[in-house]
Amino acid sequence: MIVHLRLARLHAGGGATAAPATADDIDELAHVLGVPLPPTILAIYEDHETEASGSGPLRLMSPSEAAEAITALRDFGVPFDDHELGTFWTDDNSNYAGVFASGDLAGRVFKIDHEEPGPEPCWRSVESFYDALLDARDSGLDWWDLATDYPREPADQRPDDDALAHRLFALYHERPDSPVGQRAVHQALALSSATHEAQVVSLLRSDDMWIQERAVQILGHWRWEPAVASITEVVRNGQHNGRTAGIHALKRIGSPAADAALRSLSQELGDSYRVYC
């Protein structure tokens, strides 16, 4: 299994310090999760039960710690389906990473920021997550500095991601006000590429400030020059989150048109412009 290559690198850095998890502990964690553990997680726990605090920006929790975290996060109301929420790593400051344990996103890896928990995937696989985690460990970076696979680049060629984003956008349009639909649109935005430009741009008109903000952020991440006029309109007339994200997106795009839009907005909005910077 490819994950064993990452475990060898983990061991080489002294990160994995405990014996393998027991079968009973693994079974209890699976019982709390409500679905079988992802195969990669099972392989990790069969290699070692936990990791030392301070061995990297995030450490593997023991099965009992993971079960407690999953239960607590469910009670807290994070925007995940219960059976998706395979939370296995922590920074010991109420931030987590985990694997979607079921559903369309199964096998992809998410992170939970306690200040703003979101349901988006961040890595395509546990292997990709471990590459980012170990690179960060070796470079002395914090967990929020980890390189991620999502949001995607606009020209990223991943037909499976494109197909899943398409299904999630459709689910949102079918059930826009439901928790399922709300999760779906945030996940679709993270998975989107230039193939979904029309769907992303349409969400700039969303009445939901979080959706509007995220759509703006995705276009800024892409440095998407064709969206400059639409983002400028959000800064003029959108909601607070969208307006703030819009200014940052225009700065990130950095094209002559984006720079001209920022100068114009600064003059139009006066003191209020600085509020959104």
Side-chain angles (χ1 to χ4, degrees):
M1 185 180 292
I2 295 175
V3 73
H4 286 122
L5 299 176
R6 278 70 179 185
L7 294 178
R9 183 179 169 193
L10 179 70
H11 283 288
T17 60
T22 67
D24 287 345
D25 286 344
I26 291 172
D27 288 344
E28 178 58 26
L29 174 55
H31 175 73
V32 171
L33 183 57
V35 294
L37 295 186
T40 49
I41 298 302
L42 184 58
I44 292 168
Y45 278 131
E46 289 174 342
D47 180 82
H48 61 284
E49 180 182 34
T50 188
E51 293 161 9
S53 180
S55 60
L58 295 164
R59 67 169 181 88
L60 181 75
M61 292 183 283
S62 69
S64 61
E65 287 180 291
E68 290 175 4
I70 290 167
T71 301
L73 289 166
R74 286 172 176 166
D75 290 343
F76 182 72
V78 293
F80 290 79
D81 178 80
D82 281 356
H83 291 168
E84 290 180 331
L85 192 62
T87 308
F88 305 112
W89 296 270
T90 183
D91 71 341
D92 292 308
N93 285 298
S94 300
N95 301 300
Y96 301 93
V99 181
F100 287 94
S102 66
D104 287 337
L105 290 163
R108 291 176 172 85
V109 179
F110 59 83
K111 61 184 177 183
I112 295 178
D113 182 335
H114 72 272
E115 293 186 352
E116 192 175 327
E120 300 95 338
C122 295
W123 294 274
R124 289 192 172 92
S125 66
V126 171
E127 291 83 2
S128 181
F129 165 68
Y130 258 105
D131 284 339
L133 187 63
L134 294 170
D135 286 347
R137 179 200 67 181
D138 294 347
S139 301
L141 301 177
D142 287 308
W143 74 272
W144 56 81
D145 293 320
L146 296 178
T148 60
D149 299 324
Y150 305 116
R152 293 166 65 196
E153 296 301 319
D156 187 14
Q157 298 296 311
R158 294 279 178 167
D160 55 336
D161 283 346
D162 284 336
L164 180 52
H166 180 77
R167 293 199 300 275
L168 290 167
F169 276 125
L171 178 57
Y172 166 68
H173 288 297
E174 290 169 7
R175 305 171 64 182
D177 298 321
S178 70
V180 170
Q182 292 287 305
R183 286 198 300 269
V185 70
H186 286 280
Q187 292 166 349
L189 284 165
L191 289 162
S192 63
S193 69
T195 303
H196 309 95
E197 176 192 14
Q199 291 99 317
V200 177
V201 171
S202 72
L203 293 172
L204 297 180
R205 301 188 294 275
S206 175
D207 293 331
D208 184 307
M209 65 179 179
W210 304 109
I211 294 174
Q212 183 184 71
E213 175 189 39
R214 196 62 179 134
V216 172
Q217 289 172 340
I218 294 298
L219 293 165
H221 175 78
W222 292 352
R223 292 184 171 87
W224 200 245
E225 166 72 22
V228 165
S230 297
I231 295 172
T232 301
E233 189 58 28
V234 171
V235 178
R236 287 194 178 104
N237 299 306
Q239 300 169 79
H240 178 84
N241 289 38
R243 300 178 87 173
T244 300
I247 290 173
H248 289 292
L250 291 171
K251 290 179 179 178
R252 181 175 173 84
I253 291 169
S255 67
D259 290 343
L262 287 167
R263 289 193 297 272
S264 177
L265 288 166
S266 178
Q267 293 174 352
E268 290 176 35
L269 300 178
D271 289 342
S272 64
Y273 175 85
R274 286 180 285 279
V275 172
Y276 300 111
C277 289

